[in-house]
Amino acid sequence: MRLHTLHLQAFGPFAGTHTIDFEALSADGLFLLHGDTGAGKSTIFAAICFALYGKPPGDRDLLLRSHHAPADLLTEITLEVTLAGRRLRIHRIPAQMRPKRSGEGETLQKAETRLSEWTIDTDGQGRWEPASKSHQEAGTEITNLLGMSRDQFCQVVLLPQNEFTKFLHADASGRRELLGKLFRTHRFSFIERWLNDHSRTTEKNRDAARADVLRLAERIHQAAGSDLSTDQAAPTSEDPRTLTRPARAWAQDLLHTSHIHHEQTLQAAATAKDNLAKQQTLEAAARELRQQQASYADALQQLELLQQQKPHQDTLVQRRDQARRAQQAAPQLHAADTAADDHAHAQRAERSARTHLLPEHTDLDAGQLENAEQNTRAEAAVLTALIPEEDTVRQLTAQLKRVDAERQDFATQQRTSQDWIEAEPDRRRTLEARRETARQAEEESRRHHDALERLKARIEAAKRRDTHLAKLAEAEQHLADAQQAVTLAGQTYLDIRRRRTEGMAAELAATLIDGNPCPVCGSCTHPAPAAAQDGQPTRQDEQDAEATHEQANTARDDARAVLNDLREQAAAATGEAGDTPLIDLQTQRTALDAALADALGRAVDQGAVQEELLALDAEHTIHTQQLSTATAGLSARNADYDTLTRQLTELSAKLTKARGTHPTVADRADELTRTADRLKEAAEASRTLAAAAQALTHRTEQAALAAKNQGFDTLALAQQALLGDEDLRAIEDEITQWRQDCAVHTTVLQDTTLQQAATQPPADLDTATAARDAADDQHALAAAAASAAHTRTQDLAALAADLETAIQRLEPLEQAHTTARHLAELVTGNSPSARVRMQLEAYVLAARLEEVVTAANTRLNIMSEGRYTLSHSDHQAAHGARSGLGLQITDSWTGRPRKTDTLSGGESFFASLSLALGLADVVTHEAGGNPLDTLFIDEGFGTLDEDTLHKVLDVLDSLRTHDRTVGVISHIPELRRRVPNRLHVRKNPTGSTLTHLTEAAE
């Protein structure tokens, strides 16, 4: 990667437009970026990273747009760079707010990316050829050409010394985090997690298969029962080895024993069946003998009972004969009974009809009743003709009521309209006054709103003012502490330097060796060398004190810059907010908010008042028309009311006379009609009673003659002997049934088989039944035992087959889990067979760390003049066979390794710089070998003495010999003298600026 130009516009602290010509800046291969703290030196690298990857370095949200830039100047970055031999131009515009092209306000400017490539056509002419406008497509193309991620790029192109100093002094876990991110070894962590998950999965599957075997073994044990035993031991969860072949042998042995037991139960069931058949035959014979004896005894008993009923049967025969003779005269007897019933019914009807007559009609005969009926019906006809007149009265009454209601409605409307018209002027004046009040409130709300917006801006400025003023005291105290630290560090440094100078003779004497010349006097004998005093400072003590003094100066400068920045911000905020306290401004805002709310509440009434005035006009028109209509209608309804009243009075008098004491004429007419109907009913009942008496006399004489002819002395005896068909049939059926029963029982007693059985001893059925029940129980038990044995054998066979399937499934799962667990323990370093207990990712990273250390020692050897050598902390093997990611450094002066955190500040700087350069080489090779022609080194040079600084710059010069350009970010004055090409970053209240300085120009 080689940088050509970088175009910045409204980016970070740079408010305007700036262009950096890296080709001119890196003409000598080494250039310096220097300037005040916070001026924007690191922002240049952030712009390069944003151009390449579309995001600034790190995970924090860097403010891309400059606060100092004009509103109409867009933030954008343009970078020309050569990647993998291809020259590209990358133009990016981040998402930001910009002024609208038309009208007021702001709108969102969407993010844009344009990628172009420099191409040469067939005529030898070069031009920029558009390649892509897609964020994703351009990002993928650039990442593929660079061969590294954004994190890797920021780590190996910009060498932040503070981070590599942390890396140098960190523990193994800290180094693992950084190396894992740079070398992207998360795939090995994924392999570890996958193998662990796979091991747990296979263990889960194996345990499930074991559980299936144990569950089937328990079911086999339950199916076998306690009476079935075997010499084989049952499988148990305590010993997993019994869950395969031993379990199979145990199940087969139980199944074989069950088959033998089943054959035995089948033989016992056959024997019990033969005995049951024999006992069933004996029981049937005893049952048949008992039934024959019982039949003979029952027939004899029943025949004796039938003979006892013979007198009753003779009486039934006599009664049946009398009933048959009476039945010959039955028609005349029934006719006499019917005539008697009709006569009694006619008497009751005649008495009932006369009870409903009026008192003056109760003693009249049939002819007189008919005359009274005709007179009553004539009177009712006259009243019926007057019934429609009652409807007319009702209609006139309803019409009169309706007319009166209309008169009342018109009168009410007339009064309502008159009252409304009289009250209208007062209502109109009230509404017009409300409208004027609302208009004044609207004007007042506009004034309050404008004042509130101005007050809000002052409140925000007052908050910033108070915040900055609160921080000023802390910043001033911080600056005072820093100044005091500078004074103390300076005094300490001068004191150590003075004491070392005073004891320099003792320091030189410590290096004297007998026989070697003294560097001061040249003598080879040293009779009285100076002795060092207690607490004599060394050169290292002096260098440490000087470094502490420089750090204190830097901290004081930083504190002063922070204090100045706070003072500027506080002054700007005070200019906007004034000196008024924030609480007073907030009180004013509360009062303004209340006044605005009150004015808005009063102004909102304006629309409602206008609508009410329009409604008032509409109501005036309506009530004027209503008053005219109501006056005319009231006059017409008064005339109609008088006419209807006169007609109703005349007709009501006529109907009152016709009704008499009844409510209506119709009621009186109905009453006369009902009286006529009762007279008619009584006349008919009187004639019917006379006819029934004549018929009764005639039919009684005929019935008495018929009874005498059938041999009955009186009519009453004949009627007493007469029976109905059902009663006569019942007597005949009873006589017939008695005779049949006698014949049946006589036949049974004459049966020779039954007579023979009766002569034998009584049958012992209970004994035979008990013997058959015992045989039946024995057969049931034997059959149940055989069925249970058959079922158990079938169950055991099915369970043994299931167990065999489960064992066949378990065996490969056992092997799979053993293999998976071994691999998981191996990659996590927990395997007993592993020689070194190391995780897979740590194993890979240890190898990468060895490569980084090898590359770092090439530079470290030059910087330390061969004194220091970095090495991996584990010396037992090579190329990754290590148990950690430790680092140590070997000092050739002592020949002993020591921890890296024992290095001084300057030693830590060039050791960490060597690591950074070595890591850049290894990561570049890991990413595909694309050369990184430009490197940036950020700070750290202030910890070096002059000699070491020259050695470090020599190493950086060596990078130039390999066509690399090195940009140093530092504010050390010595670097400004050593590096001719410099980019000076200056910060101003209006934004930072860039200036390309050269030694010739200065």
Side-chain angles (χ1 to χ4, degrees), residues 681-724:
E681 181 182 358
E684 291 177 353
S686 180
R687 285 194 295 271
T688 300
L689 177 60
Q694 185 178 0
L696 176 60
T697 301
H698 175 71
R699 290 179 180 175
T700 299
E701 293 174 354
Q702 289 181 341
L705 179 61
K708 186 176 180 180
N709 291 335
Q710 294 297 328
F712 293 101
D713 295 337
T714 64
L715 178 62
L717 291 175
Q719 289 176 338
Q720 183 179 1
L722 185 63
L723 296 176

CSV table of all heavy atoms in Angstrom, one decimal, residues 681-724:
chain,number,residue,atom,x,y,z
A,681,GLU,N,-133.0,-20.7,24.5
A,681,GLU,CA,-132.5,-22.0,25.1
A,681,GLU,C,-133.5,-22.6,26.0
A,681,GLU,O,-133.7,-23.8,26.1
A,681,GLU,CB,-131.2,-21.6,25.8
A,681,GLU,CG,-130.5,-22.9,26.4
A,681,GLU,CD,-129.2,-22.5,27.1
A,681,GLU,OE1,-128.8,-21.3,27.1
A,681,GLU,OE2,-128.6,-23.4,27.6
A,682,ALA,N,-134.1,-21.8,26.9
A,682,ALA,CA,-135.1,-22.3,27.9
A,682,ALA,C,-136.3,-22.9,27.2
A,682,ALA,O,-136.8,-24.0,27.6
A,682,ALA,CB,-135.5,-21.2,28.8
A,683,ALA,N,-136.8,-22.3,26.1
A,683,ALA,CA,-138.0,-22.8,25.4
A,683,ALA,C,-137.7,-24.2,24.8
A,683,ALA,O,-138.5,-25.1,24.8
A,683,ALA,CB,-138.4,-21.8,24.3
A,684,GLU,N,-136.4,-24.3,24.1
A,684,GLU,CA,-136.0,-25.6,23.5
A,684,GLU,C,-135.9,-26.6,24.6
A,684,GLU,O,-136.3,-27.8,24.4
A,684,GLU,CB,-134.7,-25.4,22.8
A,684,GLU,CG,-134.9,-24.5,21.5
A,684,GLU,CD,-133.6,-24.3,20.8
A,684,GLU,OE1,-132.5,-24.7,21.4
A,684,GLU,OE2,-133.6,-23.7,19.7
A,685,ALA,N,-135.3,-26.3,25.8
A,685,ALA,CA,-135.1,-27.3,26.8
A,685,ALA,C,-136.5,-27.8,27.4
A,685,ALA,O,-136.6,-29.0,27.7
A,685,ALA,CB,-134.3,-26.7,28.0
A,686,SER,N,-137.5,-27.0,27.4
A,686,SER,CA,-138.8,-27.4,27.9
A,686,SER,C,-139.4,-28.4,27.0
A,686,SER,O,-140.0,-29.4,27.4
A,686,SER,CB,-139.7,-26.1,28.1
A,686,SER,OG,-141.0,-26.5,28.5
A,687,ARG,N,-139.3,-28.1,25.6
A,687,ARG,CA,-139.9,-29.1,24.6
A,687,ARG,C,-139.2,-30.4,24.7
A,687,ARG,O,-139.8,-31.5,24.5
A,687,ARG,CB,-139.8,-28.4,23.3
A,687,ARG,CG,-140.9,-27.3,23.1
A,687,ARG,CD,-141.0,-27.0,21.6
A,687,ARG,NE,-139.8,-26.4,21.1
A,687,ARG,CZ,-139.5,-25.1,21.1
A,687,ARG,NH1,-140.4,-24.2,21.6
A,687,ARG,NH2,-138.4,-24.6,20.6
A,688,THR,N,-137.8,-30.4,24.9
A,688,THR,CA,-137.0,-31.6,24.9
A,688,THR,C,-137.4,-32.5,26.1
A,688,THR,O,-137.4,-33.7,26.0
A,688,THR,CB,-135.5,-31.3,24.9
A,688,THR,OG1,-135.1,-30.5,23.8
A,688,THR,CG2,-134.6,-32.5,25.0
A,689,LEU,N,-137.7,-31.9,27.3
A,689,LEU,CA,-138.0,-32.7,28.5
A,689,LEU,C,-139.3,-33.4,28.3
A,689,LEU,O,-139.5,-34.5,28.7
A,689,LEU,CB,-138.1,-31.7,29.6
A,689,LEU,CG,-138.5,-32.3,31.0
A,689,LEU,CD1,-137.5,-33.4,31.4
A,689,LEU,CD2,-138.6,-31.3,32.1
A,690,ALA,N,-140.3,-32.8,27.6
A,690,ALA,CA,-141.6,-33.4,27.4
A,690,ALA,C,-141.5,-34.7,26.5
A,690,ALA,O,-142.0,-35.7,26.7
A,690,ALA,CB,-142.5,-32.4,26.8
A,691,ALA,N,-140.6,-34.6,25.4
A,691,ALA,CA,-140.4,-35.7,24.5
A,691,ALA,C,-139.7,-36.8,25.2
A,691,ALA,O,-140.0,-38.0,25.0
A,691,ALA,CB,-139.6,-35.2,23.3
A,692,ALA,N,-138.7,-36.5,26.1
A,692,ALA,CA,-137.9,-37.6,26.8
A,692,ALA,C,-138.8,-38.3,27.8
A,692,ALA,O,-138.7,-39.6,27.9
A,692,ALA,CB,-136.7,-36.9,27.5
A,693,ALA,N,-139.8,-37.7,28.4
A,693,ALA,CA,-140.7,-38.4,29.4
A,693,ALA,C,-141.6,-39.4,28.6
A,693,ALA,O,-141.8,-40.5,29.1
A,693,ALA,CB,-141.5,-37.4,30.1
A,694,GLN,N,-142.0,-39.1,27.4
A,694,GLN,CA,-142.9,-40.0,26.6
A,694,GLN,C,-142.1,-41.2,26.2
A,694,GLN,O,-142.6,-42.3,26.2
A,694,GLN,CB,-143.5,-39.2,25.5
A,694,GLN,CG,-144.4,-40.0,24.6
A,694,GLN,CD,-145.0,-39.1,23.5
A,694,GLN,OE1,-144.7,-38.0,23.3
A,694,GLN,NE2,-145.9,-39.8,22.7
A,695,ALA,N,-140.8,-41.0,25.7
A,695,ALA,CA,-140.0,-42.1,25.2
A,695,ALA,C,-139.6,-43.0,26.4
A,695,ALA,O,-139.6,-44.3,26.2
A,695,ALA,CB,-138.7,-41.5,24.6
A,696,LEU,N,-139.4,-42.6,27.6
A,696,LEU,CA,-139.0,-43.4,28.8
A,696,LEU,C,-140.2,-44.4,29.1
A,696,LEU,O,-140.0,-45.5,29.4
A,696,LEU,CB,-138.7,-42.5,29.9
A,696,LEU,CG,-138.4,-43.2,31.3
A,696,LEU,CD1,-137.2,-44.1,31.1
A,696,LEU,CD2,-138.2,-42.2,32.4
A,697,THR,N,-141.4,-43.9,29.1
A,697,THR,CA,-142.5,-44.8,29.4
A,697,THR,C,-142.7,-45.9,28.4
A,697,THR,O,-142.8,-47.1,28.8
A,697,THR,CB,-143.8,-43.9,29.4
A,697,THR,OG1,-143.7,-42.9,30.4
A,697,THR,CG2,-145.0,-44.8,29.8
A,698,HIS,N,-142.5,-45.7,27.1
A,698,HIS,CA,-142.7,-46.7,26.1
A,698,HIS,C,-141.6,-47.8,26.2
A,698,HIS,O,-141.9,-49.0,26.1
A,698,HIS,CB,-142.7,-46.0,24.7
A,698,HIS,CG,-142.7,-46.9,23.6
A,698,HIS,ND1,-143.9,-47.7,23.3
A,698,HIS,CD2,-141.8,-47.3,22.6
A,698,HIS,CE1,-143.6,-48.5,22.2
A,698,HIS,NE2,-142.3,-48.2,21.8
A,699,ARG,N,-140.3,-47.4,26.3
A,699,ARG,CA,-139.2,-48.4,26.3
A,699,ARG,C,-139.2,-49.2,27.6
A,699,ARG,O,-138.7,-50.3,27.5
A,699,ARG,CB,-137.9,-47.6,26.0
A,699,ARG,CG,-137.8,-47.1,24.6
A,699,ARG,CD,-136.6,-46.3,24.4
A,699,ARG,NE,-136.5,-45.8,23.0
A,699,ARG,CZ,-135.6,-45.0,22.5
A,699,ARG,NH1,-134.6,-44.7,23.3
A,699,ARG,NH2,-135.6,-44.6,21.3
A,700,THR,N,-139.6,-48.7,28.7
A,700,THR,CA,-139.7,-49.5,29.9
A,700,THR,C,-140.7,-50.6,29.8
A,700,THR,O,-140.4,-51.7,30.2
A,700,THR,CB,-140.1,-48.6,31.1
A,700,THR,OG1,-139.1,-47.5,31.2
A,700,THR,CG2,-140.1,-49.3,32.4
A,701,GLU,N,-141.8,-50.4,29.2
A,701,GLU,CA,-142.8,-51.5,29.0
A,701,GLU,C,-142.2,-52.6,28.1
A,701,GLU,O,-142.4,-53.8,28.4
A,701,GLU,CB,-144.1,-50.9,28.4
A,701,GLU,CG,-144.8,-49.9,29.3
A,701,GLU,CD,-146.0,-49.2,28.6
A,701,GLU,OE1,-146.1,-49.4,27.4
A,701,GLU,OE2,-146.7,-48.5,29.3
A,702,GLN,N,-141.5,-52.2,27.0
A,702,GLN,CA,-140.9,-53.3,26.1
A,702,GLN,C,-139.8,-54.1,26.8
A,702,GLN,O,-139.8,-55.3,26.6
A,702,GLN,CB,-140.3,-52.6,24.9
A,702,GLN,CG,-141.3,-52.0,23.9
A,702,GLN,CD,-140.7,-51.3,22.7
A,702,GLN,OE1,-139.5,-51.0,22.8
A,702,GLN,NE2,-141.5,-51.1,21.7
A,703,ALA,N,-139.0,-53.5,27.7
A,703,ALA,CA,-137.9,-54.2,28.3
A,703,ALA,C,-138.5,-55.2,29.4
A,703,ALA,O,-138.0,-56.3,29.5
A,703,ALA,CB,-137.0,-53.2,29.0
A,704,ALA,N,-139.6,-54.9,30.1
A,704,ALA,CA,-140.1,-55.8,31.1
A,704,ALA,C,-140.7,-57.0,30.4
A,704,ALA,O,-140.6,-58.2,30.9
A,704,ALA,CB,-141.2,-55.1,31.8
A,705,LEU,N,-141.3,-56.9,29.2
A,705,LEU,CA,-141.9,-58.0,28.4
A,705,LEU,C,-140.8,-58.9,28.0
A,705,LEU,O,-140.9,-60.2,28.1
A,705,LEU,CB,-142.7,-57.5,27.2
A,705,LEU,CG,-143.3,-58.5,26.3
A,705,LEU,CD1,-144.3,-59.4,27.2
A,705,LEU,CD2,-144.0,-57.9,25.2
A,706,ALA,N,-139.6,-58.4,27.5
A,706,ALA,CA,-138.5,-59.2,27.0
A,706,ALA,C,-137.8,-60.0,28.2
A,706,ALA,O,-137.5,-61.2,28.0
A,706,ALA,CB,-137.4,-58.3,26.3
A,707,ALA,N,-137.7,-59.4,29.4
A,707,ALA,CA,-137.1,-60.1,30.5
A,707,ALA,C,-138.0,-61.3,31.0
A,707,ALA,O,-137.5,-62.4,31.3
A,707,ALA,CB,-136.9,-59.2,31.7
A,708,LYS,N,-139.3,-61.2,30.9
A,708,LYS,CA,-140.2,-62.3,31.3
A,708,LYS,C,-140.1,-63.4,30.3
A,708,LYS,O,-140.1,-64.6,30.7
A,708,LYS,CB,-141.6,-61.7,31.3
A,708,LYS,CG,-142.6,-62.7,31.9
A,708,LYS,CD,-144.0,-62.1,32.0
A,708,LYS,CE,-145.0,-63.1,32.5
A,708,LYS,NZ,-146.4,-62.5,32.7
A,709,ASN,N,-139.9,-63.1,29.0
A,709,ASN,CA,-139.8,-64.1,28.0
A,709,ASN,C,-138.5,-65.0,28.2
A,709,ASN,O,-138.4,-66.1,27.8
A,709,ASN,CB,-139.8,-63.5,26.6
A,709,ASN,CG,-141.1,-62.9,26.2
A,709,ASN,OD1,-142.2,-63.4,26.8
A,709,ASN,ND2,-141.1,-62.0,25.3
A,710,GLN,N,-137.4,-64.4,28.8
A,710,GLN,CA,-136.1,-65.2,29.0
A,710,GLN,C,-136.1,-65.8,30.4
A,710,GLN,O,-135.0,-66.4,30.8
A,710,GLN,CB,-135.0,-64.2,28.9
A,710,GLN,CG,-134.8,-63.6,27.5
A,710,GLN,CD,-134.5,-64.7,26.5
A,710,GLN,OE1,-133.8,-65.7,26.8
A,710,GLN,NE2,-135.0,-64.5,25.2
A,711,GLY,N,-137.2,-65.8,31.1
A,711,GLY,CA,-137.3,-66.5,32.4
A,711,GLY,C,-137.0,-65.7,33.6
A,711,GLY,O,-136.8,-66.3,34.7
A,712,PHE,N,-136.8,-64.4,33.5
A,712,PHE,CA,-136.6,-63.6,34.6
A,712,PHE,C,-137.9,-63.1,35.2
A,712,PHE,O,-138.8,-62.6,34.4
A,712,PHE,CB,-135.7,-62.4,34.3
A,712,PHE,CG,-134.3,-62.8,33.9
A,712,PHE,CD1,-133.9,-62.9,32.6
A,712,PHE,CD2,-133.4,-63.2,34.9
A,712,PHE,CE1,-132.7,-63.3,32.2
A,712,PHE,CE2,-132.1,-63.6,34.5
A,712,PHE,CZ,-131.7,-63.7,33.2
A,713,ASP,N,-138.1,-63.1,36.5
A,713,ASP,CA,-139.3,-62.7,37.1
A,713,ASP,C,-139.5,-61.2,37.0
A,713,ASP,O,-140.6,-60.7,36.9
A,713,ASP,CB,-139.3,-63.1,38.6
A,713,ASP,CG,-139.3,-64.7,38.7
A,713,ASP,OD1,-139.8,-65.3,37.7
A,713,ASP,OD2,-138.9,-65.2,39.7
A,714,THR,N,-138.4,-60.4,37.2
A,714,THR,CA,-138.5,-59.0,37.1
A,714,THR,C,-137.5,-58.4,36.2
A,714,THR,O,-136.5,-59.0,35.8
A,714,THR,CB,-138.3,-58.4,38.5
A,714,THR,OG1,-137.0,-58.6,39.0
A,714,THR,CG2,-139.3,-58.9,39.5
A,715,LEU,N,-137.8,-57.1,35.8
A,715,LEU,CA,-136.8,-56.4,34.9
A,715,LEU,C,-135.5,-56.2,35.7
A,715,LEU,O,-134.4,-56.3,35.1
A,715,LEU,CB,-137.4,-55.0,34.5
A,715,LEU,CG,-136.5,-54.1,33.7
A,715,LEU,CD1,-136.2,-54.8,32.3
A,715,LEU,CD2,-137.3,-52.8,33.4
A,716,ALA,N,-135.5,-56.0,37.0
A,716,ALA,CA,-134.3,-55.7,37.8
A,716,ALA,C,-133.4,-56.9,37.8
A,716,ALA,O,-132.1,-56.8,37.7
A,716,ALA,CB,-134.6,-55.3,39.2
A,717,LEU,N,-134.0,-58.2,37.9
A,717,LEU,CA,-133.2,-59.4,37.8
A,717,LEU,C,-132.5,-59.6,36.5
A,717,LEU,O,-131.3,-60.0,36.4
A,717,LEU,CB,-134.0,-60.7,38.2
A,717,LEU,CG,-134.6,-60.7,39.6
A,717,LEU,CD1,-135.5,-62.0,39.7
A,717,LEU,CD2,-133.4,-60.9,40.6
A,718,ALA,N,-133.2,-59.3,35.4
A,718,ALA,CA,-132.6,-59.4,34.1
A,718,ALA,C,-131.4,-58.4,33.9
A,718,ALA,O,-130.3,-58.7,33.4
A,718,ALA,CB,-133.6,-59.2,33.0
A,719,GLN,N,-131.6,-57.2,34.4
A,719,GLN,CA,-130.6,-56.2,34.3
A,719,GLN,C,-129.4,-56.6,35.2
A,719,GLN,O,-128.2,-56.3,34.8
A,719,GLN,CB,-131.1,-54.8,34.7
A,719,GLN,CG,-132.1,-54.2,33.7
A,719,GLN,CD,-132.7,-52.9,34.2
A,719,GLN,OE1,-132.7,-52.7,35.4
A,719,GLN,NE2,-133.2,-52.1,33.3
A,720,GLN,N,-129.6,-57.2,36.3
A,720,GLN,CA,-128.5,-57.7,37.2
A,720,GLN,C,-127.7,-58.8,36.6
A,720,GLN,O,-126.5,-58.8,36.7
A,720,GLN,CB,-129.1,-58.1,38.6
A,720,GLN,CG,-128.0,-58.4,39.6
A,720,GLN,CD,-128.6,-58.8,40.9
A,720,GLN,OE1,-129.9,-58.9,41.1
A,720,GLN,NE2,-127.8,-59.1,41.9
A,721,ALA,N,-128.3,-59.7,35.9
A,721,ALA,CA,-127.6,-60.8,35.3
A,721,ALA,C,-126.9,-60.4,34.0
A,721,ALA,O,-126.0,-61.1,33.6
A,721,ALA,CB,-128.6,-62.0,35.0
A,722,LEU,N,-127.2,-59.4,33.4
A,722,LEU,CA,-126.6,-58.9,32.2
A,722,LEU,C,-125.1,-58.5,32.4
A,722,LEU,O,-124.8,-57.7,33.3
A,722,LEU,CB,-127.4,-57.8,31.5
A,722,LEU,CG,-126.9,-57.3,30.2
A,722,LEU,CD1,-127.1,-58.4,29.1
A,722,LEU,CD2,-127.7,-56.0,29.7
A,723,LEU,N,-124.2,-59.1,31.6
A,723,LEU,CA,-122.8,-58.8,31.7
A,723,LEU,C,-122.3,-58.2,30.3
A,723,LEU,O,-122.8,-58.6,29.3
A,723,LEU,CB,-122.0,-60.0,32.0
A,723,LEU,CG,-122.2,-60.6,33.4
A,723,LEU,CD1,-121.4,-61.9,33.6
A,723,LEU,CD2,-121.8,-59.7,34.5
A,724,GLY,N,-121.2,-57.5,30.4
A,724,GLY,CA,-120.6,-57.0,29.2
A,724,GLY,C,-119.8,-58.1,28.5
A,724,GLY,O,-119.5,-59.2,29.1
